[in-house]
Amino acid sequence: MAMKAIVKSVISGDSLVLRGSPGPQGQIPKERVLHLADIQAPRMGTATRDDEDWAFESREFLRALAVGKPVTFTSMHSLPPSDDVPRDIGTAEINGVDLATEVLKSGWAKLKELKREPTDEDLRKRDVEAEARAAGKGIWNPHGPKARKTNYMMPTDSQGFLAEWKGRPIDGLVEQVKDGSTLRIRLLMPDGDHQFVNIALAGVRCPRVASKPGEASEQWGEEAKFFTESRLLQRYVKVNLLSLPNAAPTPFQTGANATAPPPATIFIGTVLHPAGNVAEHLVSAGLARVVDWHAGMLASGGGMERLRAAEKVAKEKRACLYANAPAAPPKTNGAAINGSSRSFDATVVRIWSADQISVVDRETGKERRLQLSSTRGPKASDSKQAYWAQEAREFLRKRLIGKHVKVHIDFIRPREGEFEERECATIRYGGQNSNIAEQLIEKGLASVVRHKRDDEDRSPDYDKLMAAEQAAASEGRGIHSGKDMPPPKQPLNISESAHRATTFVNGFKRLGRIPAVVEYVAAGSRFKIYLPKDNQVLTLVLSGIRAPRTARNASETSEPYGPESAEFATRRYMQRDVEIEIHDSDKSGGFIGALYLNKTENAAITLVREGLATVHPYSADNLPWAKQLYDAEEDAKRAKRNIWKDYDEAAEQTAEAPTEDASRPLKTEYLDVIISDVRTKPQFAFSIQILNTEGIAELEKLMREFSLHHKTAPSAPAGFVPKAGDLVSAKFSDGQWYRARVRRASPVKKEAEVTFIDYGNQDTVGFSDIRPLEGRFRALPGQAHDARLSFVKLVPPESEYHQDAVDRFRQLCDGRKLIANVDHKEGQLLHLRLIDPSNPAVADDPTESINVDFVREGLATIDKKGCKYLSSYPAMVKKLQEALSTAKRDRAGMFEFGDVEEDD
């Protein structure tokens, strides 16, 4: 009985693979093998045996005649099935033409020897064969087959083969479809040889098809395979080899000594049929997904854009693999996200790292920290990546800092582990509207994040980013170079100490203006400056002005407009290319000088004009731009900007003429105190503890627990480096641990200057004797209070009696319990009148005190400049003047050789 089928493929010149038509629900049709009766064609070769002569040409004749066409066949005899595929011997016709006769007529097969009596049909075929032989057709060609080498295995040198043929179209014949996107192709090389290769279709991946008995195919895998087979199997195509799987070196994993990769088992490429690119049709039918990381290979011809368009069609139809695809998000041009605009114009104010920046919305003035979408920069903390991290950060700084950019928030990355919630954005700048992330990646200074398959939270230019990464990898740029770049050297901190800073001042003065970069803004008038030429950092304090102070930690309070001043300076000068001039250095190692932006803008004048700093007359009067400073301050006053918001000119003029009783005396309040520390540098001062308070009781309890804790406390965490302002545990010279605050730290010397907050004394302690202060020991405020003597000042250090005065103070006060009265408060500094309770004169005269004793002994003078409140205590002034007269009369202390009192 005659049956109908479609020729799926041709095995050889005498054998075909037939298939039925798809079922009504798209079911995959069954297959069968048909061997044409009574003829024998040359056998095709395999990896272990060569082709028989004329085998390819014989099969090629039948392939061209039959593949893809409807056929009518009759089974004469059934053979045992192979892999559950039925096999038959029989006859086949296409449009009434007998295939066996056509093969014989063209000379591509010979008749088998018959073991039966020949029929009329057998005799006719024998005549056909004889005619072909006489004409020298096909296998009867007397000159024999053309010499050809057929390589059934993948090229041994896959890298070399790819390098030779990449980008050059090669004719090929699809020999096998392993799954919808994986093909085995016979390449017809220009020299006549045939080379078999395995090709993965670039840009797509179809579900896997079972390759072993008992395995199950992935959903839609069989349908995808049939889709490709029915269109490409044993059809001629054009093949473009593009890459090897993971051909690009993984950043920081491939070095100069890397071994050669093993031979590849597959190439990635495009397979083009005259009717189009099957990859695009697979995607639009919902039988393949787009492979993001192939975007770079397909960028030049717009291949990825066409695949994305096909993907969009499949998602809209919810076809096959995309049946459960999430609905496309609505277009949100400028719509709000988290209460803020999604698209906005901004100014870049800070580069945090290779993939994070801060911008200020030009409309709202709000600062926002942004992550570049789908971009991952090198890590500065990794020694292998540190060089490229700095290069990337500098690339962003030079192109973006202070520039106007267009921001589009693509998505918000939720908080995860140690990572904060972050807005991820595409940043465009310049007249070309360039995507900075794309430029960064193209330079090899960042890589592209590999998102999960259905993760729609990604850059809208994701394919362009992938293309940029592919270009960088192929050119070996930046992180793809495979070079082991040493981490950048840490810049030398020349403001580490006053002594070190002093040695640089004269050299800087001779240089005049010095190119620099503002690395950090500590306060409105205090900057950390980087000198690229010499790889040095320094602290710069602006000459001639004073900006309000900002709190350095939670326990401090900022001065009014301190944060605003620091924020203004940060936004205007942070990470900018500037010029600096150095005039002098201060006692803490900072350099005093000027900072210029764009060569003309003096930062000090700008801050004063904005009302965010005041003129400091003592240092301003000697500056060439002193008049500009005063003019700027007058302008700020008239406009009532910031600091001068409540400025009243009339009130100021009144205040400029102070009266003798301008400062009212404080209410008398006697305190029991103990002098806990006496120090002479940078000037004479001391610290006290106020006794009989809850704080002292709590301190005693805390110190017992503190001592027990440090007997078993672990060592400092790895990499712990104390910083100025940190609360820590520090070991004093007596071997005990105490609470302390870091004044300044030197990572070079691995030591820090600390103040012990419960006693007031200071020391230099090695990092090995410093630990982070645990939270339970932080609640109690420091019990030491800085203090000075009210009304009087000890003889100056240059006097030969200064040491006598210090020694006398230690003798009378150090470690002793005294009574004190607070006469004045200068910020946190207490001006104290110290009273010795063992002195009987105290009971009759409230003005009698240790302060007066020092004047009487010629070891101190009345401090008319430092104690503006003197006039508020007339009784004390009278007592002090009497004591001074006594000292001069008795030639005590510094008056030993006459009256040497300063003329105040």
Side-chain angles (χ1 to χ4, degrees):
M1 183 182 75
M3 293 178 282
K4 294 186 179 298
I6 294 173
V7 179
K8 173 187 172 183
S9 61
V10 174
I11 299 172
S12 62
D14 58 11
S15 302
L16 308 96
V17 178
L18 309 180
R19 65 168 175 83
S21 297
Q25 303 299 321
Q27 295 95 329
I28 306 300
K30 294 185 177 180
E31 300 176 1
R32 68 194 308 142
V33 175
L34 179 68
H35 300 285
L36 297 178
D38 298 332
I39 67 171
Q40 181 176 353
R43 301 292 91 184
M44 297 291 288
T46 64
T48 56
R49 72 166 192 268
D50 293 335
D51 290 357
E52 294 181 1
D53 289 347
W54 303 108
F56 176 73
E57 291 79 0
S58 173
R59 192 201 70 167
E60 183 62 9
F61 173 82
L62 186 56
R63 183 205 66 78
L65 182 66
V67 167
K69 296 177 181 177
V71 64
T72 302
F73 70 97
T74 303
S75 174
M76 300 165 56
H77 178 66
S78 293
L79 300 173
S82 173
D83 294 332
D84 295 330
V85 177
R87 296 193 302 152
D88 300 289
I89 297 175
T91 59
E93 293 180 355
I94 293 178
N95 296 328
V97 177
D98 180 66
L99 295 184
T101 301
E102 287 300 304
V103 174
L104 287 171
K105 185 188 294 184
S106 298
W108 293 118
K110 45 174 90 167
L111 284 169
K112 294 179 181 178
E113 291 187 13
L114 299 176
K115 298 179 181 179
R116 64 174 188 269
E117 285 298 320
T119 64
D120 291 342
E121 183 63 21
D122 295 334
L123 293 174
R124 187 184 67 77
K125 287 181 180 178
R126 190 166 292 170
D127 291 341
V128 171
E129 180 187 46
E131 287 177 12
R133 183 186 303 199
K137 293 181 179 179
I139 61 176
W140 311 112
N141 188 325
H143 302 295
K146 179 183 177 183
R148 176 194 303 116
K149 182 179 179 183
T150 301
N151 299 305
Y152 282 93
M153 302 295 289
M154 280 279 290
T156 306
D157 182 8
S158 45
Q159 288 277 12
F161 189 84
L162 177 65
E164 181 180 358
W165 293 102
K166 184 176 181 179
R168 298 168 59 185
I170 312 171
D171 289 324
L173 184 64
V174 179
E175 294 283 3
Q176 182 187 358
V177 176
K178 297 185 177 183
D179 62 44
S181 57
T182 308
L183 313 177
R184 182 166 169 79
I185 299 179
R186 179 191 295 259
L187 298 182
L188 309 179
M189 308 306 292
D191 59 4
D193 288 348
H194 292 183
Q195 174 65 60
F196 276 72
V197 293
N198 298 321
I199 298 285
L201 296 179
V204 300
R205 180 190 177 277
C206 292
R208 196 172 59 84
V209 173
S211 58
K212 299 177 183 176
E215 276 189 348
S217 298
E218 293 179 356
Q219 187 181 20
W220 304 111
E222 296 291 348
E223 288 82 353
K225 180 180 178 183
F226 176 74
F227 184 96
T228 304
E229 276 185 342
S230 60
R231 289 161 175 79
L232 291 191
L233 184 60
Q234 291 199 337
R235 271 73 159 191
Y236 278 102
V237 293
K238 289 281 187 184
V239 177
N240 269 304
L241 301 181
L242 299 177
S243 179
L244 294 170
N246 301 323
T250 304
F252 315 115
Q253 298 297 316
T254 302
N257 300 323
T259 57
T265 59
I266 197 167
F267 290 112
I268 298 170
T270 57
V271 176
L272 301 179
H273 185 272
N277 185 346
V278 73
E280 296 168 17
H281 295 289
L282 280 164
V283 174
S284 62
L287 294 172
R289 293 188 183 274
V290 177
V291 177
D292 294 328
W293 71 271
H294 288 183
M297 309 173 194
L298 300 171
S300 57
M304 208 64 186
E305 287 85 346
R306 290 191 290 274
L307 288 177
R308 292 294 184 197
E311 182 182 49
K312 183 180 178 183
V313 170
K315 286 181 176 179
E316 289 172 352
K317 294 190 300 186
R318 296 191 174 274
C320 302
L321 291 170
Y322 298 98
N324 298 317
K331 290 194 174 180
T332 52
N333 244 5
I337 181 168
N338 273 7
S340 300
S341 176
R342 183 182 281 270
S343 295
F344 56 94
D345 289 355
T347 301
V348 179
V349 294
R350 186 165 187 175
I351 309 298
W352 292 94
S353 65
D355 52 23
Q356 287 188 23
I357 68 173
S358 280
V359 302
V360 172
D361 188 325
R362 291 164 72 96
E363 183 176 338
T364 65
K366 179 183 177 183
E367 184 170 331
R368 297 164 77 165
R369 183 166 174 171
L370 306 174
Q371 167 82 37
L372 298 180
S373 293
S374 303
T375 305
R376 179 176 290 119
K379 294 181 180 178
S381 57
D382 186 332
S383 60
K384 289 186 177 180
Q385 304 182 41
Y387 173 84
W388 299 112
Q390 179 170 297
E391 289 290 302
R393 188 167 176 265
E394 185 66 4
F395 177 87
L396 291 178
R397 188 189 71 81
K398 286 186 174 179
R399 276 161 178 74
L400 294 186
I401 200 71
K403 298 290 196 309
H404 170 219
V405 297
K406 293 185 180 296
V407 178
H408 181 78
I409 306 298
D410 301 319
F411 59 95
I412 294 182
R413 189 181 67 196
R415 182 187 180 95
E416 185 177 346
E418 61 181 9
F419 298 105
E420 298 286 332
E421 179 181 274
R422 184 79 68 232
E423 291 181 312
C424 297
T426 297
I427 311 291
R428 302 184 187 279
Y429 76 105
Q432 302 297 318
N433 233 17
S434 305
N435 183 345
I436 190 63
E438 184 179 352
Q439 293 186 344
L440 192 70
I441 291 166
E442 192 173 28
K443 292 282 185 183
L445 297 175
S447 57
V448 183
V449 175
R450 268 52 175 177
H451 293 285
K452 293 179 181 178
R453 189 175 65 194
D454 295 322
D455 185 2
E456 295 297 331
D457 285 344
R458 60 178 66 189
S459 168
D461 288 352
Y462 190 76
D463 294 335
K464 291 181 180 179
L465 299 186
M466 290 298 302
E469 185 179 67
Q470 178 74 16
S474 60
E475 295 289 335
R477 299 186 200 127
I479 60 178
H480 307 285
S481 65
K483 297 177 182 177
D484 290 330
M485 303 299 292
K489 290 184 179 178
Q490 285 296 316
L492 175 67
N493 182 5
I494 59 176
S495 287
E496 186 179 44
S497 66
H499 174 72
R500 175 178 283 183
T502 303
T503 61
F504 285 90
V505 171
N506 289 333
F508 285 152
K509 283 182 177 179
R510 286 193 295 271
L511 289 173
R513 291 196 182 188
I514 306 166
V517 177
V518 177
E519 195 164 279
Y520 182 69
V521 177
S525 60
R526 195 174 187 86
F527 305 86
K528 183 179 180 182
I529 301 293
Y530 174 60
L531 305 180
K533 183 180 177 182
D534 301 309
N535 196 33
Q536 296 171 340
V537 292
L538 58 86
T539 299
L540 177 70
V541 182
L542 297 182
S543 299
I545 67 170
R546 182 189 180 278
R549 289 184 59 181
T550 56
R552 290 174 292 181
N553 51 61
S555 64
E556 293 184 352
T557 303
S558 297
E559 294 180 357
Y561 291 97
E564 289 85 348
S565 177
E567 183 181 6
F568 176 86
T570 298
R571 292 187 177 183
R572 195 166 187 86
Y573 304 116
M574 179 76 141
Q575 295 182 330
R576 303 290 188 95
D577 289 312
V578 297
E579 292 178 326
I580 62 170
E581 279 181 351
I582 301 300
H583 306 148
D584 205 345
S585 63
D586 61 24
K587 60 188 177 183
S588 65
F591 289 85
I592 301 169
L595 183 147
Y596 297 92
L597 178 67
N598 299 328
K599 296 187 179 295
T600 56
E601 180 184 324
N602 186 319
I605 296 172
T606 301
L607 284 161
V608 171
R609 184 176 291 111
E610 292 296 325
L612 294 170
T614 56
V615 177
H616 185 254
Y618 178 78
S619 59
D621 289 347
N622 295 322
L623 296 173
W625 57 86
K627 184 178 184 306
Q628 293 171 269
L629 280 175
Y630 284 114
D631 288 347
E633 187 171 64
E634 287 302 316
D635 182 50
K637 287 178 179 178
R638 283 194 297 272
K640 295 191 174 183
R641 297 191 190 106
N642 296 312
I643 291 173
W644 308 109
K645 178 182 177 182
D646 300 319
Y647 173 69
D648 185 336
E649 187 175 357
E652 184 185 73
Q653 290 172 352
T654 304
E656 284 176 355
T659 58
E660 284 299 308
D661 58 349
S663 296
R664 297 177 62 185
L666 297 182
K667 181 182 178 181
T668 301
E669 181 183 2
Y670 293 114
L671 305 171
D672 291 326
V673 301
I674 186 169
I675 309 297
S676 58
D677 181 59
V678 178
R679 51 192 174 275
T680 57
K681 293 181 180 179
Q683 65 232 5
F684 175 78
F686 57 93
S687 296
I688 65 164
Q689 290 179 339
I690 301 175
L691 304 178
N692 303 324
T693 63
E694 290 183 6
I696 292 298
E698 287 290 324
L699 177 63
E700 292 174 358
K701 179 182 176 183
L702 180 143
M703 289 308 300
R704 287 194 294 272
E705 294 178 3
F706 205 58
S707 177
L708 291 172
H709 169 72
H710 279 285
K711 286 180 180 178
T712 57
S715 58
F720 170 66
V721 177
K723 299 187 292 295
D726 285 356
L727 280 174
V728 296
S729 302
K731 186 187 284 188
F732 190 52
S733 54
D734 63 0
Q736 299 298 313
W737 293 83
Y738 299 92
R739 300 192 302 165
R741 187 181 302 281
V742 178
R743 297 178 66 232
R744 62 174 65 91
S746 170
V748 176
K749 296 180 181 179
K750 295 191 182 303
E751 61 184 25
E753 293 179 26
V754 301
T755 298
F756 294 94
I757 62 173
D758 295 312
Y759 301 91
N761 47 340
Q762 299 171 355
D763 200 2
T764 300
V765 183
F767 284 0
S768 59
D769 288 333
I770 298 176
R771 305 280 186 274
L773 186 63
E774 289 200 1
R776 59 192 173 119
F777 297 124
R778 290 172 174 260
L780 181 67
Q783 294 301 299
H785 303 270
D786 289 340
R788 60 156 289 177
L789 292 172
S790 303
F791 314 120
V792 303
K793 62 180 178 180
L794 266 58
V795 292
E798 56 269 19
S799 169
E800 61 183 294
Y801 297 97
H802 177 70
Q803 190 58 49
D804 293 342
V806 173
D807 292 343
R808 179 63 173 157
F809 186 87
R810 292 185 189 276
Q811 178 187 356
L812 291 174
C813 305
D814 196 6
R816 292 188 61 199
K817 292 183 179 180
L818 303 170
I819 296 171
N821 182 64
V822 180
D823 296 307
H824 183 69
K825 292 181 180 179
E826 184 181 338
Q828 300 294 319
L829 183 68
L830 305 178
H831 290 235
L832 299 182
R833 190 187 325 170
L834 297 178
I835 301 169
D836 184 352
S838 63
N839 182 358
V842 171
D844 301 323
D845 185 357
T847 61
E848 192 63 47
S849 63
I850 291 174
N851 308 47
V852 173
D853 289 344
F854 267 82
V855 175
R856 191 180 289 126
E857 293 176 16
L859 297 175
T861 58
I862 302 172
D863 189 4
K864 298 176 182 177
K865 287 184 179 178
C867 301
K868 302 293 186 184
Y869 51 86
L870 263 172
S871 58
S872 300
Y873 295 87
M876 278 301 306
V877 172
K878 181 179 179 181
K879 186 72 174 181
L880 289 167
Q881 288 173 340
E882 291 174 356
L884 184 63
S885 299
T886 302
K888 291 178 180 179
R889 184 195 66 207
D890 296 345
R891 294 186 176 273
M894 62 178 167
F895 300 110
E896 181 180 359
F897 301 106
D899 188 351
V900 294
E901 188 181 11
E902 294 178 7
D903 184 10
D904 290 330

